């Protein structure tokens, strides 16, 4: 009986989703009629947040702007309320992570579209309107649209084997090359969307590609730092997962959307300039631990078993290999601590995997996370 009932239930869910999407295609307002809210999360960086929100307010395309202060221990709330009187400033009592802050902002508005914007990203003129207009004309099955995120400043690639100066900021591209800030360098991309590889690693599509790169409209996931999401899609699959605290929240939500039959697209004309990791640091302990942990957790919840196995093996190998070097030992311990945390809560993660399977209408194998 169970073998017959499972496919039947999934077919009925797919039918209900198609009916809902068809109704959405007929009822969804278009263009300027789409009520749009922008949500920005702040934590101890009122200067960055004010810059980002001021650009949104000056554009004038948002019907509401909500700034969520995530338990800052400085004078952020007072500064934001003083300098951004046109915005709604919500003050949370503690820092529960990006997802908690973003969800608080989403719940505070009933707009048709919610734009998520990193506080260390400065939107170009027309950013909000470009996201709104893209979703207004896209098929109803498109749940989210992600923008073109450009890295702030100019960058020069170091020669092979060369190292950055001790006090010099450096970022590594997907091919392993180091790039450093340089006044006569090139403008490079941060993201045109999110993809996930065969080992569960989420990454920015077109990371460090030339700024004029032409990318496919279709993409697996959106970047939570510059994207718009339909309210109907959030009502269907839920908000960002608050247990992740920070990192991989957008990837995890993309998995839920894709397994419910929704799609994500990229809008090249929705541009922000991003000061990469200005809020949390590029290789902070928080980044290393949360990135390693959440990569495994999201794979366990959503990815096929071969991806989960590769993610676990590579994490263990990375940790053990790092213990051999004095310069990598601290990072290795954080990675192994992340692995231990996941293993320690394995029954809960497996239960979550089962729950996700029950509500999904698209098989795991039908989702292409590397797109």
């Amino acid at each position: 009986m169970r073998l017959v009932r499972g496919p039947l239930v999934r077919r009925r869910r797919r039918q209900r989703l198609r009916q809902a999407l068809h109704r959405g295609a007929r009822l969804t307002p278009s263009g300027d009629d789409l009520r749009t809210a922008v949500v920005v999360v702040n934590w101890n960086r009122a200067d960055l947040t004010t810059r980002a929100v001021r650009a949104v307010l000056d554009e004038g395309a948002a019907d509401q702007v909500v700034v969520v202060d995530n338990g800052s221990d400085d004078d952020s709330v007072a500064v934001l309320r003083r300098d951004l009187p046109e915005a709604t400033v919500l003050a949370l009592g503690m820092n529960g992570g990006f997802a908690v802050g973003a969800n608080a902002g989403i719940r505070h508005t009933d707009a048709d579209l919610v734009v998520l914007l990193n506080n260390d990203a400065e939107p170009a003129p027309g950013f909000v309107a470009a996201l709104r207009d893209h979703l207004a004309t896209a098929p109803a099955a498109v749940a989210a649209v992600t923008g073109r995120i450009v890295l702030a400043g100019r960058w020069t690639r170091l020669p092979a084997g060369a190292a950055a100066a001790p006090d010099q900021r450096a970022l590594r591209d997907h091919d392993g090359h180091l790039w450093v800030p340089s006044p006569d360098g090139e403008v490079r991309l941060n993201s045109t969307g999110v993809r996930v590889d065969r080992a569960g690693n989420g990454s920015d599509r077109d990371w460090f590609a030339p700024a004029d790169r032409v990318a496919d409209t279709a993409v697996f996931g959106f970047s939570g730092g510059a994207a718009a999401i339909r309210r109907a899609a959030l009502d269907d699959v839920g908000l960002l997962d608050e247990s992740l605290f920070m990192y991989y929240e957008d990837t995890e939500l993309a998995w839920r959307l894709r397994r419910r039959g929704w799609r994500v697209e990229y809008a090249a004309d929705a541009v922000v300039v991003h000061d990469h990791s200005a809020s949390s640091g590029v290789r902070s302990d928080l980044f290393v631990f949360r990135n390693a942990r959440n990569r495994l957790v999201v794979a366990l919840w959503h990815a096929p078993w071969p991806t989960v196995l590769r993610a676990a093996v590579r994490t263990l190998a990375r940790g053990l290999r790092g213990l051999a070097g004095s310069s990598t030992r601290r990072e290795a311990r954080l990675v192994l601590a992340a692995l231990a945390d996941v293993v320690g809560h394995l029954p809960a993660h497996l239960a979550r995997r089962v729950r996700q399977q029950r509500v999904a209408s698209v098989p795991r194998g039908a989702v292409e996370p590397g797109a």
Side-chain angles (χ1 to χ4, degrees):
M1 183 65 179
R2 184 176 297 175
L3 294 177
V4 175
R5 184 175 180 273
L8 178 61
V9 170
R10 285 194 290 271
R11 283 198 299 273
R12 288 174 176 171
R13 284 173 178 160
R14 285 195 292 269
Q15 183 179 14
R16 288 197 298 268
L17 177 60
R18 284 194 296 269
Q19 291 171 346
L21 293 177
H22 179 65
R23 289 194 300 270
R26 291 185 285 108
L27 299 175
T28 299
S30 60
D32 293 340
D33 292 331
L34 272 176
R35 296 182 60 252
T36 304
V38 178
V39 174
V40 182
V41 178
N42 175 76
W43 184 68
N44 289 340
R45 289 306 303 266
D47 56 333
L48 294 178
T49 302
T50 299
R51 183 188 65 180
V53 173
R54 178 50 56 194
V56 170
L57 293 169
D58 288 347
E59 179 187 348
D63 297 285
Q64 185 178 14
V65 179
V66 181
V67 181
V68 182
D69 184 78
N70 231 358
S72 293
D73 53 17
D74 61 6
D75 61 349
S76 285
V77 173
V79 171
L80 293 170
R81 286 176 173 163
R82 181 195 68 204
D83 294 346
L84 301 171
E86 309 97 316
T88 299
V89 178
L90 303 179
L92 304 186
M94 60 177 292
N95 182 8
F98 173 78
V100 168
N103 286 348
I106 293 171
R107 293 188 184 101
H108 192 77
T109 175
D110 61 354
D112 304 301
L113 307 179
V114 177
V115 175
L116 298 179
L117 176 66
N118 268 5
N119 71 328
D120 55 1
E122 185 173 7
F127 165 72
V128 175
L131 293 176
R132 180 199 64 202
D133 294 348
H134 186 105
L135 278 178
T137 58
V142 177
V145 57
T146 191
R148 174 184 290 262
I149 306 178
V150 179
L151 282 168
R154 292 179 174 270
W155 299 82
T156 295
R157 197 179 91 179
L158 293 178
D167 59 345
Q168 189 175 32
R169 186 182 183 193
L171 297 176
R172 193 178 299 273
D173 64 23
H174 287 324
D175 296 322
H177 301 118
L178 282 177
W179 293 75
V180 297
S182 173
D184 56 352
E186 306 169 25
V187 178
R188 291 276 159 168
L189 286 175
N190 185 153
S191 177
T192 61
V194 171
R195 62 201 316 174
V196 179
D197 67 16
R198 296 173 66 250
N201 297 297
S203 63
D204 289 307
R205 187 179 68 169
D206 291 327
W207 169 251
F208 260 99
D212 59 356
R213 165 73 62 85
V214 177
D216 290 340
T217 299
V219 65
F220 166 72
F222 62 92
S223 169
I229 311 172
R230 292 190 198 271
R231 172 71 59 177
L234 294 173
D235 289 342
D236 182 43
V237 305
L239 303 183
L240 294 162
D241 190 284
E242 298 181 359
S243 71
L244 297 175
F245 189 75
M246 63 189 307
Y247 304 120
Y248 276 82
E249 310 97 320
D250 45 10
T251 304
E252 193 278 328
L253 181 53
W255 268 111
R256 276 187 278 140
L257 289 167
R258 298 304 296 268
R259 296 210 61 207
R260 285 287 293 166
W262 297 94
R263 304 203 310 268
V264 178
E265 291 188 348
Y266 160 67
D269 53 346
V271 181
V272 302
V273 177
H274 184 216
D275 189 2
H276 182 67
S277 294
S279 295
S280 61
V282 178
R283 302 300 295 179
S284 65
D285 288 356
L286 176 66
F287 172 87
V288 173
F289 177 83
R290 283 288 170 181
N291 194 272
R293 176 196 178 275
N294 291 354
R295 177 175 63 250
L296 287 170
V297 166
V298 172
L300 260 174
W301 292 349
H302 300 291
W305 281 116
T307 297
V308 177
L309 180 60
R310 280 189 290 267
V313 169
R314 293 190 182 187
T315 301
L316 177 61
R318 175 188 171 192
L320 295 177
R321 187 170 56 247
L323 290 176
S326 58
S327 62
T328 56
R329 194 167 297 144
R330 181 181 182 85
E331 180 174 320
R333 288 172 177 164
L334 291 167
V335 170
L336 293 175
L339 178 59
D341 181 90
V342 175
V343 172
H345 296 88
L346 190 57
H349 296 315
L350 293 176
R352 171 69 178 267
R353 183 181 180 91
V354 172
R355 290 196 300 272
Q356 292 299 149
Q357 180 64 22
R358 288 173 178 166
V359 300
S361 54
V362 176
R364 285 188 176 89
V367 177
E368 177 47 65

